[in-house]
Amino acid sequence: MIEIQKIENCSLIAGPCSAESQAQVMDCARSLAAMGVKVFRAGVWKPRTRPGNFEGAGEPALEWLKAVKTETGMAVTTEAANARHVEAALKAGIDMLWIGARTTTSPFAVQEVADALRGTDIPVLVKNPINAELELWIGAFERLAGAGIKRMAAIHRGFSSYYERIYRYSPEWQIPIELRRRIPGLQVICDPSHMTGRSDLVPHLAQMALDMKADGLFIEVHPDPCHALSDQKQQLTPEQFGRMTGKLVFHREPEPADLKFMEPYRALLDDIDLQLIQDLADRFHITGSIGEYKNTHNLAILQPDRYKAISDILAEKGKELGLDGDFIRLLFETIHAESIRCQINKKNDK
């Protein structure tokens, strides 16, 4: 079991995607400090998809973050992707580090960062890997824990998807939910800036994250987003950030009266869920019988025309019943994939 200690003051972490100049950093920091933000974020080293783009101001920008601490009293955090970044950030007195999505994807890189942090007590935030791989995310926390880091939190920034969606990165809320179950006590902070890729969608997704019981928000704020050197479209102005935070609803914990009201409904849900499990078991039993027939009569396991037809029918039926068609397709896709797996296993057992 990974030992987790709580990180204070991470309900709102805000600042520019990149630290571009001391004037830009200080201008943004002063605005955010006046709004009560306790932790200021800014990328000093920026991993970019292609070379030739602005890749951060580097170590000189650490001095700008030190100036933010001195003038505003805010804690400061930046991204570290290798041992050199860690050493420079620690030397500069950076209060908190985050590991980016590209770094989390590489166990070698995470281990290098963990080794460089060994013997320190600095809080570390870990972004989810770009692809929806929960084990990679958990592995990053295990590597940090192995180096003695106890103050850790997750940053949920969404996942790459081949589906066409409104968001830049799909939330896949079930993954951070499962992460919390696997690592009890872990704080999960949501990054709606990267998830949406669009500043106009950030407030909506920020509230959705809080509705999903996120412990905090990680927001990109720039004094002049149109002229930002990275991620222009997803950064809020300080004024937009202020309007958003003024409207956010931070939820309370349920009280006995709330639990009493929900109890009979939860009991009904439990009965329905148990019936769903029984229905799935019956379905896979029938699938097994079909699979045995296919094997005996030399038929292909996958029947694409049948799959497409039933998928369309179920999605349409779901819409008639007030359900989201995409959800029904995804649900049936998962069930169908498990049916195929069971049939393949039966064939291999022969």
Side-chain angles (χ1 to χ4, degrees):
M1 180 73 70
I2 298 175
E3 183 179 345
I4 298 290
Q5 293 180 1
K6 187 177 176 63
I7 299 174
E8 300 295 333
N9 296 322
C10 63
S11 59
L12 279 177
I13 300 173
C17 173
S18 302
E20 300 166 359
S21 68
Q22 184 163 3
Q24 170 244 13
V25 166
M26 295 307 302
D27 184 13
C28 189
R30 291 179 185 121
S31 297
L32 293 173
M35 298 179 200
V37 174
K38 302 298 183 184
V39 183
F40 182 81
R41 57 139 293 156
V44 170
W45 302 278
K46 296 298 298 179
R48 306 304 297 276
T49 301
R50 299 179 63 181
N53 294 318
F54 177 68
E55 295 185 332
E59 291 189 27
L62 293 173
E63 295 299 317
W64 309 339
L65 296 185
K66 287 172 65 175
V68 168
K69 288 181 60 174
T70 301
E71 179 176 325
T72 69
M74 285 193 289
V76 293
T77 181
T78 195
E79 179 177 353
N82 56 45
R84 182 176 63 83
H85 294 168
V86 172
E87 291 160 6
L90 292 175
K91 184 178 179 181
I94 299 301
D95 301 289
M96 189 184 301
L97 295 176
W98 84 78
I99 295 177
R102 289 178 172 87
T103 305
T104 307
T105 302
S106 169
F108 292 116
V110 174
Q111 190 62 58
E112 180 181 339
V113 171
D115 290 340
L117 287 168
R118 195 177 299 275
T120 71
D121 187 35
I122 189 170
V124 181
L125 313 175
V126 183
K127 288 197 173 187
N128 61 258
I130 293 174
N131 295 322
E133 298 184 66
L134 176 60
E135 298 305 322
L136 264 182
W137 205 1
I138 292 174
F141 289 105
E142 291 174 335
R143 292 176 187 279
L144 290 166
I149 302 300
K150 293 183 173 60
R151 288 190 291 165
M152 296 182 285
I155 299 179
H156 174 213
R157 49 85 77 193
F159 302 88
S160 180
S161 172
Y162 62 85
Y163 292 107
E164 184 176 342
R165 296 181 184 274
I166 189 172
Y167 302 130
R168 181 181 179 189
Y169 295 106
S170 175
E172 303 296 345
W173 298 107
Q174 73 278 8
I175 296 178
I177 290 172
E178 177 62 11
L179 177 70
R180 268 198 173 118
R181 188 189 72 80
R182 296 273 296 273
I183 308 180
L186 182 71
Q187 294 162 280
V188 177
I189 302 164
C190 185
D191 177 355
S193 301
H194 274 92
M195 203 177 290
T196 61
R198 290 170 45 183
S199 60
D200 61 315
L201 294 177
V202 168
H204 166 73
L205 202 54
Q207 183 60 61
M208 187 183 297
L210 295 178
D211 295 344
M212 297 296 291
K213 213 171 171 38
D215 295 291
L217 299 170
F218 198 75
I219 309 286
E220 291 191 354
V221 181
H222 192 290
D224 186 10
C226 292
H227 294 94
L229 299 181
S230 60
D231 284 341
Q232 296 178 356
K233 294 181 180 180
Q234 67 193 38
Q235 300 191 69
L236 303 176
T237 65
E239 292 76 16
Q240 290 170 329
F241 176 80
R243 287 197 296 272
M244 179 192 74
T245 54
K247 295 178 181 178
L248 289 175
V249 177
F250 289 82
H251 300 288
R252 60 182 176 82
E253 290 296 315
E255 298 176 356
D258 303 311
L259 297 173
K260 184 177 180 180
F261 174 84
M262 291 186 285
E263 185 177 351
Y265 294 100
R266 286 178 168 175
L268 289 172
L269 288 177
D270 291 343
D271 290 341
I272 292 171
D273 289 342
L274 289 171
Q275 185 60 53
L276 284 173
I277 295 298
Q278 182 61 57
D279 289 344
L280 284 173
D282 294 342
R283 188 189 193 283
F284 288 129
H285 178 73
I286 296 169
T287 296
S289 298
I290 294 173
E292 289 177 0
Y293 181 87
K294 289 177 181 177
N295 293 336
T296 303
H297 293 78
N298 195 29
L299 297 174
I301 290 175
L302 179 62
Q303 304 289 317
D305 291 342
R306 157 76 181 172
Y307 171 63
K308 183 181 185 307
I310 194 64
S311 178
D312 291 343
I313 290 170
L314 292 174
E316 192 60 37
K317 183 61 177 177
K319 290 179 182 178
E320 291 176 10
L321 295 171
L323 301 172
D324 182 81
D326 289 339
F327 164 72
I328 296 299
R329 287 184 186 278
L330 182 60
L331 176 63
F332 183 67
E333 178 184 311
T334 303
I335 293 172
H336 183 260
E338 178 64 12
S339 298
I340 295 295
R341 187 189 69 80
C342 291
Q343 291 184 42
I344 290 173
N345 286 346
K346 278 186 173 292
K347 183 175 183 178
N348 292 338
D349 289 341
K350 295 294 184 182

